[in-house]
Amino acid sequence: MPTVFYQSHDIVITDDVFAIWKPEPQVYDLEALEDLRIEHGGRSGRAALVAAGALVTVGAVAAMTLTDGPGQFVVAAAVLSVPPLTGRAIRIFTPVVWLLRASYAGAGVTLFASNNAITVLRIRRSLMRAFAANAASMERLDRTGYAEAYRRLNSLL
């Protein structure tokens, strides 16, 4: 009976498989998973916000050349405040996607993706525990000689 390390509506992690049901069902054998890592994906829409900030800055500089006296100070304040405000808008309006990636049978796969970093870390921790349990069971089999007998039986079939 496999031990369940994590279970939700979309994911089940046991000591021998990682199964995900959405967006499409995939089942990965833990023995073939390698190089587990967390990456953070790009921000969608970032280029549009940067372009808007650049246009506002160019417009403010153009307005600064057309104004005289105290109006220039107002425009200079606007020019200095646009880049930080644009950067803040990028962070607020474009959420980061956290990706749990690995190599499966030599190919790179994305096991899980979410905007919630805590969920990704929980799944990673559960997967690491499943790896440890899988390794312990394989060591136990190797010590008792069952692994060699199992390999021989598989080669005969």
Side-chain angles (χ1 to χ4, degrees):
M1 185 72 162
T3 304
V4 176
F5 289 94
Y6 184 88
Q7 185 172 8
S8 70
H9 299 291
D10 302 338
I11 296 174
V12 174
I13 300 173
T14 67
D15 55 356
D16 48 345
V17 297
F18 175 88
I20 186 163
W21 310 121
K22 291 180 184 176
E24 61 184 48
Q26 296 285 331
V27 178
Y28 300 100
D29 184 19
L30 290 187
E31 292 177 20
L33 278 175
E34 298 174 345
D35 190 28
L36 184 68
R37 64 197 177 278
I38 294 177
E39 296 177 1
H40 104 344
R43 297 174 180 262
S44 59
R46 185 176 188 170
L49 286 174
V50 169
L55 287 174
V56 169
T57 303
V58 168
V61 169
M64 196 164 129
T65 60
L66 298 174
T67 59
D68 290 333
Q72 282 187 337
F73 294 116
V74 172
V75 172
V79 168
L80 292 175
S81 65
V82 166
L85 291 176
T86 303
R88 182 73 177 158
I90 288 172
R91 286 188 292 280
I92 290 173
F93 294 121
T94 56
V96 174
V97 176
W98 296 95
L99 305 167
L100 184 61
R101 294 199 178 188
S103 298
Y104 183 69
V109 294
T110 301
L111 298 174
F112 184 71
S114 176
N115 292 339
N116 189 345
I118 294 172
T119 302
V120 174
L121 289 173
R122 280 184 185 155
I123 291 172
R124 180 187 173 274
R125 184 181 66 219
S126 300
L127 200 50
M128 296 306 288
R129 288 180 181 166
F131 281 141
N134 188 338
S137 68
M138 294 305 286
E139 287 174 9
R140 196 168 35 252
L141 286 176
D142 283 340
R143 280 187 298 220
T144 57
Y146 287 122
E148 182 60 32
Y150 185 72
R151 281 189 214 112
R152 287 184 184 173
L153 181 63
N154 271 346
S155 67
L156 294 174
L157 297 175

PDB file of all heavy atoms in Angstrom, residues 69-95:
ATOM      1  N   GLY A  69      10.007  78.341 -15.869  1.00  0.00           N
ATOM      2  CA  GLY A  69       9.854  78.710 -14.453  1.00  0.00           C
ATOM      3  C   GLY A  69       9.413  77.557 -13.585  1.00  0.00           C
ATOM      4  O   GLY A  69       9.916  76.447 -13.678  1.00  0.00           O
ATOM      5  N   PRO A  70       8.420  77.823 -12.700  1.00  0.00           N
ATOM      6  CA  PRO A  70       7.998  76.806 -11.735  1.00  0.00           C
ATOM      7  C   PRO A  70       7.356  75.582 -12.390  1.00  0.00           C
ATOM      8  O   PRO A  70       7.360  74.489 -11.826  1.00  0.00           O
ATOM      9  CB  PRO A  70       6.983  77.513 -10.855  1.00  0.00           C
ATOM     10  CG  PRO A  70       6.897  78.909 -11.308  1.00  0.00           C
ATOM     11  CD  PRO A  70       7.766  79.094 -12.489  1.00  0.00           C
ATOM     12  N   GLY A  71       6.840  75.723 -13.597  1.00  0.00           N
ATOM     13  CA  GLY A  71       6.249  74.581 -14.302  1.00  0.00           C
ATOM     14  C   GLY A  71       7.283  73.501 -14.582  1.00  0.00           C
ATOM     15  O   GLY A  71       6.964  72.310 -14.612  1.00  0.00           O
ATOM     16  N   GLN A  72       8.526  73.919 -14.764  1.00  0.00           N
ATOM     17  CA  GLN A  72       9.575  72.930 -15.018  1.00  0.00           C
ATOM     18  C   GLN A  72       9.820  72.049 -13.793  1.00  0.00           C
ATOM     19  O   GLN A  72      10.122  70.871 -13.934  1.00  0.00           O
ATOM     20  CB  GLN A  72      10.876  73.629 -15.418  1.00  0.00           C
ATOM     21  CG  GLN A  72      10.888  74.091 -16.860  1.00  0.00           C
ATOM     22  CD  GLN A  72      12.251  74.616 -17.271  1.00  0.00           C
ATOM     23  OE1 GLN A  72      13.052  75.025 -16.423  1.00  0.00           O
ATOM     24  NE2 GLN A  72      12.501  74.625 -18.563  1.00  0.00           N
ATOM     25  N   PHE A  73       9.683  72.619 -12.598  1.00  0.00           N
ATOM     26  CA  PHE A  73       9.891  71.825 -11.388  1.00  0.00           C
ATOM     27  C   PHE A  73       8.794  70.758 -11.238  1.00  0.00           C
ATOM     28  O   PHE A  73       9.056  69.643 -10.810  1.00  0.00           O
ATOM     29  CB  PHE A  73       9.936  72.724 -10.152  1.00  0.00           C
ATOM     30  CG  PHE A  73      11.131  73.634 -10.151  1.00  0.00           C
ATOM     31  CD1 PHE A  73      10.960  75.012 -10.212  1.00  0.00           C
ATOM     32  CD2 PHE A  73      12.420  73.123 -10.098  1.00  0.00           C
ATOM     33  CE1 PHE A  73      12.051  75.853 -10.221  1.00  0.00           C
ATOM     34  CE2 PHE A  73      13.518  73.956 -10.096  1.00  0.00           C
ATOM     35  CZ  PHE A  73      13.337  75.334 -10.168  1.00  0.00           C
ATOM     36  N   VAL A  74       7.593  71.115 -11.591  1.00  0.00           N
ATOM     37  CA  VAL A  74       6.483  70.156 -11.530  1.00  0.00           C
ATOM     38  C   VAL A  74       6.714  69.021 -12.531  1.00  0.00           C
ATOM     39  O   VAL A  74       6.544  67.835 -12.217  1.00  0.00           O
ATOM     40  CB  VAL A  74       5.135  70.865 -11.798  1.00  0.00           C
ATOM     41  CG1 VAL A  74       4.008  69.848 -11.920  1.00  0.00           C
ATOM     42  CG2 VAL A  74       4.833  71.875 -10.709  1.00  0.00           C
ATOM     43  N   VAL A  75       7.124  69.398 -13.734  1.00  0.00           N
ATOM     44  CA  VAL A  75       7.384  68.384 -14.758  1.00  0.00           C
ATOM     45  C   VAL A  75       8.579  67.523 -14.359  1.00  0.00           C
ATOM     46  O   VAL A  75       8.578  66.297 -14.553  1.00  0.00           O
ATOM     47  CB  VAL A  75       7.598  69.057 -16.137  1.00  0.00           C
ATOM     48  CG1 VAL A  75       8.050  68.040 -17.166  1.00  0.00           C
ATOM     49  CG2 VAL A  75       6.314  69.735 -16.588  1.00  0.00           C
ATOM     50  N   ALA A  76       9.634  68.131 -13.771  1.00  0.00           N
ATOM     51  CA  ALA A  76      10.796  67.367 -13.321  1.00  0.00           C
ATOM     52  C   ALA A  76      10.390  66.365 -12.234  1.00  0.00           C
ATOM     53  O   ALA A  76      10.860  65.220 -12.230  1.00  0.00           O
ATOM     54  CB  ALA A  76      11.875  68.304 -12.802  1.00  0.00           C
ATOM     55  N   ALA A  77       9.506  66.768 -11.330  1.00  0.00           N
ATOM     56  CA  ALA A  77       9.014  65.850 -10.294  1.00  0.00           C
ATOM     57  C   ALA A  77       8.241  64.696 -10.930  1.00  0.00           C
ATOM     58  O   ALA A  77       8.371  63.537 -10.512  1.00  0.00           O
ATOM     59  CB  ALA A  77       8.145  66.606  -9.298  1.00  0.00           C
ATOM     60  N   ALA A  78       7.453  65.015 -11.964  1.00  0.00           N
ATOM     61  CA  ALA A  78       6.710  63.956 -12.662  1.00  0.00           C
ATOM     62  C   ALA A  78       7.669  62.992 -13.357  1.00  0.00           C
ATOM     63  O   ALA A  78       7.481  61.768 -13.312  1.00  0.00           O
ATOM     64  CB  ALA A  78       5.747  64.570 -13.667  1.00  0.00           C
ATOM     65  N   VAL A  79       8.713  63.524 -13.991  1.00  0.00           N
ATOM     66  CA  VAL A  79       9.677  62.678 -14.691  1.00  0.00           C
ATOM     67  C   VAL A  79      10.397  61.769 -13.700  1.00  0.00           C
ATOM     68  O   VAL A  79      10.627  60.588 -13.970  1.00  0.00           O
ATOM     69  CB  VAL A  79      10.696  63.542 -15.490  1.00  0.00           C
ATOM     70  CG1 VAL A  79      11.865  62.706 -15.962  1.00  0.00           C
ATOM     71  CG2 VAL A  79      10.010  64.210 -16.649  1.00  0.00           C
ATOM     72  N   LEU A  80      10.742  62.286 -12.526  1.00  0.00           N
ATOM     73  CA  LEU A  80      11.446  61.478 -11.533  1.00  0.00           C
ATOM     74  C   LEU A  80      10.550  60.433 -10.868  1.00  0.00           C
ATOM     75  O   LEU A  80      11.034  59.404 -10.409  1.00  0.00           O
ATOM     76  CB  LEU A  80      12.067  62.380 -10.470  1.00  0.00           C
ATOM     77  CG  LEU A  80      13.218  63.262 -10.949  1.00  0.00           C
ATOM     78  CD1 LEU A  80      13.655  64.196  -9.835  1.00  0.00           C
ATOM     79  CD2 LEU A  80      14.375  62.418 -11.429  1.00  0.00           C
ATOM     80  N   SER A  81       9.242  60.684 -10.813  1.00  0.00           N
ATOM     81  CA  SER A  81       8.346  59.742 -10.141  1.00  0.00           C
ATOM     82  C   SER A  81       7.795  58.666 -11.066  1.00  0.00           C
ATOM     83  O   SER A  81       7.298  57.641 -10.588  1.00  0.00           O
ATOM     84  CB  SER A  81       7.189  60.493  -9.486  1.00  0.00           C
ATOM     85  OG  SER A  81       6.388  61.104 -10.480  1.00  0.00           O
ATOM     86  N   VAL A  82       7.880  58.836 -12.381  1.00  0.00           N
ATOM     87  CA  VAL A  82       7.299  57.857 -13.304  1.00  0.00           C
ATOM     88  C   VAL A  82       7.998  56.496 -13.237  1.00  0.00           C
ATOM     89  O   VAL A  82       7.325  55.466 -13.126  1.00  0.00           O
ATOM     90  CB  VAL A  82       7.254  58.425 -14.745  1.00  0.00           C
ATOM     91  CG1 VAL A  82       6.982  57.327 -15.753  1.00  0.00           C
ATOM     92  CG2 VAL A  82       6.192  59.495 -14.840  1.00  0.00           C
ATOM     93  N   PRO A  83       9.336  56.403 -13.298  1.00  0.00           N
ATOM     94  CA  PRO A  83       9.955  55.061 -13.268  1.00  0.00           C
ATOM     95  C   PRO A  83       9.627  54.237 -12.011  1.00  0.00           C
ATOM     96  O   PRO A  83       9.270  53.063 -12.132  1.00  0.00           O
ATOM     97  CB  PRO A  83      11.447  55.347 -13.397  1.00  0.00           C
ATOM     98  CG  PRO A  83      11.505  56.643 -14.119  1.00  0.00           C
ATOM     99  CD  PRO A  83      10.332  57.429 -13.616  1.00  0.00           C
ATOM    100  N   PRO A  84       9.690  54.802 -10.805  1.00  0.00           N
ATOM    101  CA  PRO A  84       9.317  53.982  -9.643  1.00  0.00           C
ATOM    102  C   PRO A  84       7.846  53.573  -9.653  1.00  0.00           C
ATOM    103  O   PRO A  84       7.516  52.449  -9.270  1.00  0.00           O
ATOM    104  CB  PRO A  84       9.610  54.886  -8.440  1.00  0.00           C
ATOM    105  CG  PRO A  84      10.523  55.928  -8.930  1.00  0.00           C
ATOM    106  CD  PRO A  84      10.258  56.080 -10.386  1.00  0.00           C
ATOM    107  N   LEU A  85       6.980  54.463 -10.101  1.00  0.00           N
ATOM    108  CA  LEU A  85       5.557  54.118 -10.153  1.00  0.00           C
ATOM    109  C   LEU A  85       5.301  53.031 -11.189  1.00  0.00           C
ATOM    110  O   LEU A  85       4.472  52.143 -10.973  1.00  0.00           O
ATOM    111  CB  LEU A  85       4.717  55.357 -10.460  1.00  0.00           C
ATOM    112  CG  LEU A  85       4.654  56.399  -9.342  1.00  0.00           C
ATOM    113  CD1 LEU A  85       3.864  57.617  -9.805  1.00  0.00           C
ATOM    114  CD2 LEU A  85       4.039  55.820  -8.095  1.00  0.00           C
ATOM    115  N   THR A  86       6.010  53.089 -12.303  1.00  0.00           N
ATOM    116  CA  THR A  86       5.855  52.054 -13.324  1.00  0.00           C
ATOM    117  C   THR A  86       6.347  50.710 -12.791  1.00  0.00           C
ATOM    118  O   THR A  86       5.702  49.677 -12.991  1.00  0.00           O
ATOM    119  CB  THR A  86       6.633  52.432 -14.596  1.00  0.00           C
ATOM    120  OG1 THR A  86       6.176  53.696 -15.056  1.00  0.00           O
ATOM    121  CG2 THR A  86       6.449  51.398 -15.681  1.00  0.00           C
ATOM    122  N   GLY A  87       7.473  50.709 -12.108  1.00  0.00           N
ATOM    123  CA  GLY A  87       7.992  49.473 -11.523  1.00  0.00           C
ATOM    124  C   GLY A  87       7.035  48.880 -10.506  1.00  0.00           C
ATOM    125  O   GLY A  87       6.806  47.670 -10.472  1.00  0.00           O
ATOM    126  N   ARG A  88       6.453  49.730  -9.696  1.00  0.00           N
ATOM    127  CA  ARG A  88       5.481  49.266  -8.706  1.00  0.00           C
ATOM    128  C   ARG A  88       4.239  48.702  -9.384  1.00  0.00           C
ATOM    129  O   ARG A  88       3.703  47.674  -8.975  1.00  0.00           O
ATOM    130  CB  ARG A  88       5.121  50.432  -7.778  1.00  0.00           C
ATOM    131  CG  ARG A  88       4.166  50.081  -6.698  1.00  0.00           C
ATOM    132  CD  ARG A  88       4.839  49.245  -5.646  1.00  0.00           C
ATOM    133  NE  ARG A  88       3.872  48.992  -4.592  1.00  0.00           N
ATOM    134  CZ  ARG A  88       3.968  48.013  -3.768  1.00  0.00           C
ATOM    135  NH1 ARG A  88       4.980  47.208  -3.825  1.00  0.00           N
ATOM    136  NH2 ARG A  88       3.056  47.828  -2.853  1.00  0.00           N
ATOM    137  N   ALA A  89       3.784  49.361 -10.444  1.00  0.00           N
ATOM    138  CA  ALA A  89       2.613  48.868 -11.180  1.00  0.00           C
ATOM    139  C   ALA A  89       2.898  47.506 -11.805  1.00  0.00           C
ATOM    140  O   ALA A  89       2.026  46.634 -11.832  1.00  0.00           O
ATOM    141  CB  ALA A  89       2.211  49.873 -12.258  1.00  0.00           C
ATOM    142  N   ILE A  90       4.117  47.312 -12.290  1.00  0.00           N
ATOM    143  CA  ILE A  90       4.475  46.013 -12.864  1.00  0.00           C
ATOM    144  C   ILE A  90       4.377  44.928 -11.801  1.00  0.00           C
ATOM    145  O   ILE A  90       3.825  43.852 -12.038  1.00  0.00           O
ATOM    146  CB  ILE A  90       5.894  46.065 -13.476  1.00  0.00           C
ATOM    147  CG1 ILE A  90       5.886  46.882 -14.762  1.00  0.00           C
ATOM    148  CG2 ILE A  90       6.429  44.662 -13.743  1.00  0.00           C
ATOM    149  CD1 ILE A  90       7.270  47.151 -15.320  1.00  0.00           C
ATOM    150  N   ARG A  91       4.880  45.201 -10.602  1.00  0.00           N
ATOM    151  CA  ARG A  91       4.835  44.201  -9.533  1.00  0.00           C
ATOM    152  C   ARG A  91       3.411  43.939  -9.051  1.00  0.00           C
ATOM    153  O   ARG A  91       3.083  42.812  -8.684  1.00  0.00           O
ATOM    154  CB  ARG A  91       5.714  44.638  -8.373  1.00  0.00           C
ATOM    155  CG  ARG A  91       7.196  44.499  -8.668  1.00  0.00           C
ATOM    156  CD  ARG A  91       8.052  44.739  -7.451  1.00  0.00           C
ATOM    157  NE  ARG A  91       8.034  46.110  -6.972  1.00  0.00           N
ATOM    158  CZ  ARG A  91       8.742  47.099  -7.503  1.00  0.00           C
ATOM    159  NH1 ARG A  91       9.517  46.861  -8.526  1.00  0.00           N
ATOM    160  NH2 ARG A  91       8.684  48.311  -7.013  1.00  0.00           N
ATOM    161  N   ILE A  92       2.572  44.961  -9.065  1.00  0.00           N
ATOM    162  CA  ILE A  92       1.210  44.780  -8.556  1.00  0.00           C
ATOM    163  C   ILE A  92       0.310  44.090  -9.577  1.00  0.00           C
ATOM    164  O   ILE A  92      -0.420  43.151  -9.252  1.00  0.00           O
ATOM    165  CB  ILE A  92       0.598  46.144  -8.158  1.00  0.00           C
ATOM    166  CG1 ILE A  92       1.289  46.677  -6.913  1.00  0.00           C
ATOM    167  CG2 ILE A  92      -0.902  46.015  -7.923  1.00  0.00           C
ATOM    168  CD1 ILE A  92       0.879  48.085  -6.542  1.00  0.00           C
ATOM    169  N   PHE A  93       0.345  44.543 -10.816  1.00  0.00           N
ATOM    170  CA  PHE A  93      -0.625  44.083 -11.803  1.00  0.00           C
ATOM    171  C   PHE A  93      -0.208  42.842 -12.581  1.00  0.00           C
ATOM    172  O   PHE A  93      -1.013  42.279 -13.302  1.00  0.00           O
ATOM    173  CB  PHE A  93      -0.950  45.214 -12.788  1.00  0.00           C
ATOM    174  CG  PHE A  93      -1.654  46.358 -12.132  1.00  0.00           C
ATOM    175  CD1 PHE A  93      -1.106  47.626 -12.160  1.00  0.00           C
ATOM    176  CD2 PHE A  93      -2.852  46.176 -11.474  1.00  0.00           C
ATOM    177  CE1 PHE A  93      -1.743  48.690 -11.551  1.00  0.00           C
ATOM    178  CE2 PHE A  93      -3.500  47.230 -10.857  1.00  0.00           C
ATOM    179  CZ  PHE A  93      -2.948  48.489 -10.891  1.00  0.00           C
ATOM    180  N   THR A  94       1.017  42.413 -12.474  1.00  0.00           N
ATOM    181  CA  THR A  94       1.445  41.195 -13.161  1.00  0.00           C
ATOM    182  C   THR A  94       2.006  40.221 -12.131  1.00  0.00           C
ATOM    183  O   THR A  94       3.159  40.318 -11.733  1.00  0.00           O
ATOM    184  CB  THR A  94       2.513  41.499 -14.233  1.00  0.00           C
ATOM    185  OG1 THR A  94       3.604  42.164 -13.634  1.00  0.00           O
ATOM    186  CG2 THR A  94       1.950  42.339 -15.342  1.00  0.00           C
ATOM    187  N   PRO A  95       1.204  39.258 -11.690  1.00  0.00           N
ATOM    188  CA  PRO A  95       1.645  38.326 -10.657  1.00  0.00           C
ATOM    189  C   PRO A  95       2.719  37.366 -11.173  1.00  0.00           C
ATOM    190  O   PRO A  95       2.780  37.031 -12.351  1.00  0.00           O
ATOM    191  CB  PRO A  95       0.366  37.561 -10.295  1.00  0.00           C
ATOM    192  CG  PRO A  95      -0.489  37.674 -11.499  1.00  0.00           C
ATOM    193  CD  PRO A  95      -0.158  38.990 -12.133  1.00  0.00           C
TER     194      PRO A  95
END
